[in-house]
Amino acid sequence: MSEFDYDLFVIGGGSGGVRAARLAAGLGKRVAVAEEYRFGGTCVIRGCVPKKLYVYASQFPEHFEDAAGYGWTVPEATFDWKTLVANKEREITRLEGLYRKGLENAGAEIIEARATLVDRHTLDVGGRRVTADKIIIAVGGRPNPHLALPGHEHCIFSNEAFDLAELPRAIVIEGGGYIAVEFANIFHGLGVDTTLVYRGKEILSRFDQDLRRELHATMEAKGIKILCHDVLTEIEKRGEGDLLVHLKSGKTIEASQVMLAIGRLPNTEGLGLEAAGVETGKGGEIPVDNYSRTNVDNIWALGDVTNRVQLTPVAIHEAMCFIETEYRNNPTEVDHDMIATAVFSQPEIGTVGLSEDEAAKRFDRLEIYRASFRPMRHTLSGRQEKMLMKLVVDGDSRRVIGAHVMGPDAGEMAQLLGIALKARLSKDDFDRTMAVHPSAAEELVTMYAPTYRVEKGERVG
Ligand code: NDP
């Protein structure tokens, strides 16, 4: 019998923590998982899941418009924000229940309290002391509150955006990453006067230039105002739901809500990390090795709190590597290479591998295959939006090292492209693949000749 109360104690009931706890308990380990808020974590409660539901909600006005070209007459539509919020809440409550059930069925103990570390094997859970052989810290992150911004207390973050009492009349969103771009499209689609303010030259700084430019242009054509090279300098409250946003450029914008989406910070404060000897990095994140182990050899950290790649499937993968390594005698390093990802903007972006610019820094010769076309659906709808597809190919090995799609279902395509790129398939494999017709994705296997080449960073031909 072990000297500890538990074989494994998991702090945090999000994607990574729940997966590790459930699998370990399923293997017969004595497991507890502590969560201070709601099971499911950011992804289920106030991230990916409600976000995608709101994306669907915000797309209906365009669907109604597009229907006319197909012969439909749609009566004037009205939207009720409170219905959406209530229905979203019902769905995430259902999912939260499934997470709990999965843990219970596997035999993990659920502790609804904040857990903090007392030493490397001891935890305080709501005033009670427990001990564990191994500990996983999977406490996630929270929006950067931007405390240096005068008037930051008048701002909301993605957490609050889902549950606003009323849909804002006008919103200013700061940031140019996933959250800012997705929410700008959601609010605009729901009829809110939307302005996006981004400090850099072009939104979505880590994505391929072509997609960034096209998405920017398409969002503007829909009516979203995008101000680049600018930042918020003050939020002035003039009354209830009446804010004046001051920008560095000297411009001012009136808004009923201001949302900040300028990145997320790890939730490591007050966790007792020092007491347990766990080191943190400059931004409060917990550095770990390739097996997610911290500097303390019986303590691991998974997911957003490590600030490696802040994505749900990555946290889940990290949890599974932990289980393989520690409980299945199969040492498995975390593999962060070639992670496919989607931005649920409108139109959507799906991407995997290197952007053209990144590839040009690492490879001497590139072939770029690029197609821009109007998706078939829009031929009768009359919508002018283009679809964009781009493959970045290493000119020497012919391996496809980047695949980028903007348009309907781009996220779904990215998942499958992810398999092809992970398998290190070559452009010849793509060329040998029969097209699915008529589809938009067929373009990915029918771009036979390069649009241009890049040699030593310079575009040629
Ligand atoms: P991101 O890192 O994607 O974007 C942060 C944005 O804020 C960047 O545009 C950044 O600019 C800007 N920024 C950073 N600091 C400041 C500052 N001080 N002043 C002004 N602007 C600033 O973070 P998000 O908050 O959008 O999302 C957090 C994470 O959540 C993402 O990294 C992603 O991993 C995950 N996520 C994933 C989603 C998905 O998979 N679809 C959806 C939502 C979130 P710059 O580019 O110049 O650095």
Side-chain angles (χ1 to χ4, degrees):
M1 193 66 187
S2 156
E3 59 185 296
F4 301 108
D5 299 329
Y6 300 102
D7 297 319
L8 176 67
F9 195 101
V10 180
I11 313 178
S15 306
V18 166
R19 181 62 60 99
R22 183 165 61 73
L23 293 183
L27 290 170
K29 305 294 168 194
R30 293 169 310 139
V31 179
V33 52
E35 168 59 51
E36 62 180 334
Y37 183 52
R38 295 175 71 175
F39 276 87
T42 300
C43 173
V44 173
I45 307 298
R46 49 200 171 192
C48 324
V49 173
K51 181 274 307 291
K52 190 89 187 270
L53 295 173
Y54 283 28
V55 168
Y56 287 136
S58 67
Q59 287 171 335
F60 282 97
E62 287 195 355
H63 295 331
F64 298 148
E65 273 174 35
D66 291 354
Y70 289 89
W72 291 93
T73 303
V74 181
E76 199 192 336
T78 57
F79 170 68
D80 183 42
W81 169 252
K82 289 191 169 75
T83 301
L84 174 64
V85 174
N87 289 349
K88 174 272 298 177
E89 188 50 37
R90 211 180 47 226
E91 174 58 9
I92 64 169
T93 302
R94 185 184 73 84
L95 292 173
E96 189 187 358
L98 290 179
Y99 267 60
R100 283 169 170 275
K101 214 172 182 175
L103 286 166
E104 281 163 7
N105 290 348
E109 182 181 334
I110 291 176
I111 300 179
E112 289 175 75
R114 182 171 169 81
T116 55
L117 291 157
V118 177
D119 64 39
R120 58 183 291 164
H121 284 293
T122 312
L123 300 110
D124 179 295
V125 270
R128 185 165 64 96
R129 293 277 162 112
V130 298
T131 59
D133 180 13
K134 297 178 191 231
I135 295 171
I136 290 180
I137 303 168
V139 294
R142 64 183 190 286
N144 177 349
H146 204 355
L147 299 178
L149 174 69
H152 63 88
E153 66 277 14
H154 307 308
C155 300
I156 59 163
F157 301 89
S158 52
N159 288 354
E160 293 80 29
F162 292 113
D163 294 299
L164 294 172
E166 280 171 24
L167 188 63
R169 172 184 45 79
I171 192 163
V172 172
I173 302 177
E174 177 159 49
Y178 283 84
I179 296 180
V181 168
E182 290 180 343
F183 270 96
N185 284 281
I186 289 171
F187 280 119
H188 170 77
L190 295 178
V192 180
D193 177 352
T194 304
T195 307
L196 187 67
V197 179
Y198 172 53
R199 67 178 176 182
K201 196 166 129 204
E202 186 58 278
I203 55 171
L204 292 177
S205 58
R206 280 163 286 175
F207 289 78
D208 188 87
Q209 282 287 357
D210 279 331
L211 268 71
R212 297 166 66 189
R213 269 194 298 264
E214 276 294 321
L215 179 66
H216 181 142
T218 312
M219 284 170 62
E220 276 190 336
K222 286 180 195 284
I224 300 171
K225 285 158 271 185
I226 304 180
L227 306 176
C228 289
H229 288 304
D230 218 341
V231 289
L232 275 52
T233 52
E234 189 188 346
I235 318 300
E236 195 186 323
K237 182 161 183 173
R238 302 192 298 189
E240 213 34 59
D242 180 10
L243 302 168
L244 188 66
V245 181
H246 296 262
L247 304 183
K248 193 170 174 205
S249 58
K251 289 194 189 92
T252 53
I253 311 169
E254 291 184 1
S256 41
Q257 290 287 1
V258 177
M259 175 171 161
L260 303 180
I262 59 166
R264 295 173 60 84
L265 305 176
N267 274 334
T268 43
E269 281 128 20
L271 206 58
L273 294 178
E274 268 181 35
V278 178
E279 284 168 6
T280 50
K282 271 204 295 268
E285 76 283 2
I286 303 181
V288 289
D289 68 10
N290 291 347
Y291 299 94
S292 303
R293 195 191 290 259
T294 69
N295 64 303
V296 177
D297 66 8
N298 71 305
I299 303 182
W300 286 257
L302 304 175
D304 288 3
V305 75
T306 65
N307 200 16
R308 287 176 283 183
V309 183
Q310 298 177 356
L311 297 171
T312 287
V314 175
I316 292 172
H317 168 76
E318 290 164 1
M320 300 195 9
C321 292
F322 165 83
I323 294 290
E324 285 299 317
T325 305
E326 295 303 316
Y327 294 137
R328 287 203 175 116
N329 199 22
N330 176 28
T332 306
E333 291 191 29
V334 171
D335 177 4
H336 287 129
D337 190 36
M338 286 288 176
I339 298 171
T341 174
V343 183
F344 293 98
S345 45
Q346 299 171 39
E348 218 165 280
I349 281 182
T351 193
V352 55
L354 299 176
S355 65
E356 180 184 331
D357 288 349
E358 285 172 70
K361 287 183 208 148
R362 298 195 213 170
F363 293 83
D364 284 346
R365 270 170 293 282
L366 299 177
E367 292 171 8
I368 307 296
Y369 297 79
R370 194 179 179 286
S372 172
F373 56 95
R374 201 172 170 198
M376 191 175 180
R377 180 194 167 92
H378 293 334
T379 53
L380 296 199
S381 75
R383 190 167 293 284
Q384 292 305 315
E385 275 175 30
K386 290 273 180 56
M387 185 139 195
L388 179 69
M389 296 193 177
K390 184 169 173 181
L391 296 178
V392 180
V393 176
D394 169 13
D396 291 323
S397 69
R398 304 272 299 144
R399 193 182 142 206
V400 181
I401 51 177
H404 311 282
V405 181
M406 187 194 82
D409 303 319
E412 306 288 340
M413 290 181 211
Q415 182 62 85
L416 304 180
L417 286 165
I419 303 172
L421 270 68
K422 189 81 189 163
R424 304 173 73 86
L425 297 188
S426 73
K427 183 63 174 64
D428 304 316
D429 295 314
F430 275 60
D431 292 347
R432 268 199 295 274
T433 304
M434 204 69 83
V436 175
H437 185 73
S439 70
E442 68 183 299
E443 207 68 34
L444 290 165
V445 295
T446 53
M447 294 188 283
Y448 297 114
T451 313
Y452 56 92
R453 295 173 203 277
V454 178
E455 284 186 13
K456 299 211 182 311
E458 295 294 321
R459 182 170 164 163
V460 291

